[in-house]
Amino acid sequence: MKNKGDISKFIETYFLHFNAATLVDAAKAYESQLHQGGKMLVSLAGAMSTAELGKIFAAMIREQKVHIISCTGANLEEDIMNLVAHSHYKRVPEYRDLTPQQEWDLLEKGLNRVTDTCIPEEEAFRRLQEHVFKIWKDAEDAGERFFPHEFMYKLLLSGVLEQYYEIPIEDSWMYAAAKANLPMVVPGWEDSTMGNIFASYVMKGELKASTMKSGIEYMTFLADWYTENSRDGIGFFQIGGGIAGDFPICVVPMLYQDLERTDTPFWNYFCQISDSTTSYGSYSGAVPNEKITWGKLDIETPKFIIESDATIVAPLIFGYLLGM
């Protein structure tokens, strides 16, 4: 174990109670999971890529502290958009005070707002579109089919985007994942911008929907991966809520109940960073113990919920794991 740096020492010294203490406990349990030979799934919800989590998450991938990722289609593409159009992003620190007319003005300028950050449509979406369409079309013409993330890996590794790079490549978590050929599932990809663009080509008759592998195929891939890698235990580190978390965690009850593989181990670590109000009517706001009733977690599974902002908490935990 490498010596800890100033960030790690700071949180160990001052993060002693409540959410702060849970942050430290969760980080240490994550570290213990890895030291015992276990693997870790990280799920990315929200707009973590636009929040530039890649600056530290890419290092987590390079250091093999992440073994599989579940993310929304937005996080899949927005890391690459930041890579090729960073200088065109616009920060709006006064976003809470914007009037409807000011929001409309941003739309007319092609600036799609995510909280305090606007994604530039022309430079981000359109800069990628012609290149990713060619990769989709080439695959279709060759009679090949791939998952959404596999097409993005091909795009990054082809080198066609290098002319546009505006941030250091080591700050792109998608590039780090592509280089490592990291396993990934992207549930609900269709509601992303690239998913919408792909659907538009299908509607125009320029691509076939079958060229893109589906969510059911993602689930069956995940089931096989979990079965092959669960001998030493697989943990679940969830950033935010929604489909990025709910989709992959369901693979365990599916294997156990629907396939009747009763020797399937439960997830053996669970941590969620969420600012959702605790509620038994929502997935994101459910406490971890509720997952026991669904056959996802065991009674003995270490469970943590950190009720805070993931853009603050995740970098601190990752920094601890990287020895910063």
Side-chain angles (χ1 to χ4, degrees):
M1 185 189 303
K2 67 169 66 174
N3 293 329
K4 296 296 186 184
D6 290 342
I7 292 174
S8 300
K9 291 175 183 176
F10 180 89
I11 66 173
E12 286 187 315
T13 301
Y14 297 107
F15 283 31
L16 302 176
H17 301 283
F18 317 135
N19 274 298
T22 305
L23 182 157
V24 178
D25 292 342
K28 290 182 176 180
Y30 189 135
E31 191 170 60
S32 177
Q33 164 79 4
L34 300 183
H35 288 160
Q36 292 170 15
K39 290 183 166 57
M40 188 66 72
L41 178 147
V42 173
S43 72
L44 297 178
M48 290 296 102
S49 290
T50 295
E52 297 189 67
L53 187 66
K55 296 184 80 170
I56 192 165
F57 192 44
M60 288 282 291
I61 294 169
R62 287 192 295 269
E63 293 290 323
Q64 299 181 324
K65 298 183 185 298
V66 181
H67 303 93
I68 186 169
I69 292 170
S70 173
C71 76
T72 58
N75 276 301
L76 183 75
E77 66 196 14
E78 287 175 12
D79 179 81
I80 304 175
M81 292 174 183
N82 181 59
L83 174 65
V84 303
H86 181 78
S87 68
H88 299 276
Y89 278 60
K90 176 178 173 60
R91 186 160 180 265
V92 187
E94 70 280 9
Y95 70 93
R96 296 178 190 272
D97 303 319
L98 297 181
T99 65
Q101 181 60 53
Q102 289 173 312
E103 301 277 22
W104 184 264
D105 292 343
L106 291 173
L107 168 67
E108 291 193 318
K109 294 175 183 176
L111 294 170
N112 305 133
R113 185 171 68 81
V114 180
T115 312
D116 70 346
T117 302
C118 294
I119 301 174
E121 182 166 338
E122 193 63 33
E123 292 80 7
F125 305 141
R126 306 309 167 198
R127 190 166 280 184
L128 298 179
Q129 185 171 348
E130 63 174 302
H131 298 295
V132 76
F133 173 75
K134 184 179 187 305
I135 290 175
W136 290 337
K137 184 62 175 170
D138 287 349
E140 183 169 299
D141 291 345
E144 298 176 323
R145 304 174 65 243
F146 297 100
F147 284 119
H149 77 277
E150 292 178 315
F151 279 116
M152 292 299 192
Y153 283 1
K154 289 177 180 292
L155 179 66
L156 285 165
L157 297 178
S158 72
V160 297
L161 298 181
E162 291 180 7
Q163 59 186 308
Y164 306 121
Y165 288 177
E166 294 193 348
I167 64 170
I169 192 62
E170 60 266 22
D171 289 346
S172 165
W173 74 262
M174 270 295 292
Y175 184 78
K179 289 287 286 183
N181 194 25
L182 198 71
M184 192 182 301
V185 294
V186 189
W189 174 77
E190 298 82 1
D191 80 348
S192 67
T193 298
M194 287 299 157
N196 291 172
I197 290 171
F198 183 85
S200 74
Y201 284 122
V202 172
M203 294 181 72
K204 290 185 289 187
E206 296 181 36
L207 289 172
K208 298 175 184 176
S210 58
T211 298
M212 192 67 64
K213 288 189 175 181
S214 70
I216 294 297
E217 289 169 289
Y218 260 136
M219 182 57 81
T220 57
F221 161 77
L222 179 60
D224 288 338
W225 185 90
Y226 191 94
T227 300
E228 293 167 6
N229 289 274
S230 58
R231 184 185 68 179
D232 295 316
I234 303 173
F236 200 106
F237 187 83
Q238 181 175 332
I239 300 176
I243 194 171
D246 200 21
F247 181 95
I249 205 168
C250 288
V251 74
V252 170
M254 186 199 79
L255 288 166
Y256 190 97
Q257 298 169 15
D258 302 322
L259 284 169
E260 299 181 346
R261 298 181 186 174
T262 54
D263 59 343
T264 300
F266 295 103
W267 298 96
N268 73 334
Y269 165 98
F270 177 81
C271 176
Q272 180 181 4
I273 307 168
S274 174
D275 57 5
S276 293
T277 301
T278 298
S279 164
Y280 288 89
S282 77
Y283 172 76
S284 301
V287 296
N289 278 352
E290 186 175 301
K291 293 173 174 58
I292 295 173
T293 73
W294 290 89
K296 300 168 183 175
L297 304 180
D298 197 357
I299 294 172
E300 304 299 328
T301 303
K303 308 172 191 71
F304 308 92
I305 184 163
I306 307 168
E307 296 178 312
S308 188
D309 187 326
T311 62
I312 298 170
V313 172
L316 288 171
I317 291 180
F318 292 163
Y320 183 89
L321 294 165
L322 293 167
M324 294 180 174

